[in-house]
Amino acid sequence: MALKITQTGSVICCTEKQRKAMKGLGLRRIRDAVVREDNASTRGLCNLVSHLVTWETTDEPLTPGLRKKRAQAK
């Protein structure tokens, strides 16, 4: 089981904690959608920004996570 999360609102007037939650979910702009694992941490992030997102349960495959580029050691 997974959650499909869609961003419906802007983060312009949000707190820093809410902005970090949106980044943690992998949402960048309005109408972006991601599929995340349905667990307590994901639901907690969705509840924190419930006024900015909508979510529904789905059986779609999970969206790959965000990966940061690592600096190459010389």
Side-chain angles (χ1 to χ4, degrees), residues 31-73:
R31 289 189 298 275
D32 268 359
V34 294
V35 179
R36 296 285 178 236
E37 185 178 346
D38 187 7
N39 57 28
S41 63
T42 305
R43 290 213 177 234
L45 288 173
C46 288
N47 286 332
L48 182 66
V49 292
S50 62
H51 59 290
L52 300 174
V53 298
T54 58
W55 66 88
E56 60 189 72
T57 56
T58 183
D59 290 329
E60 294 180 29
L62 299 179
T63 305
L66 299 175
R67 294 185 182 176
K68 295 182 181 178
K69 293 182 180 179
R70 294 185 183 182
Q72 302 243 346

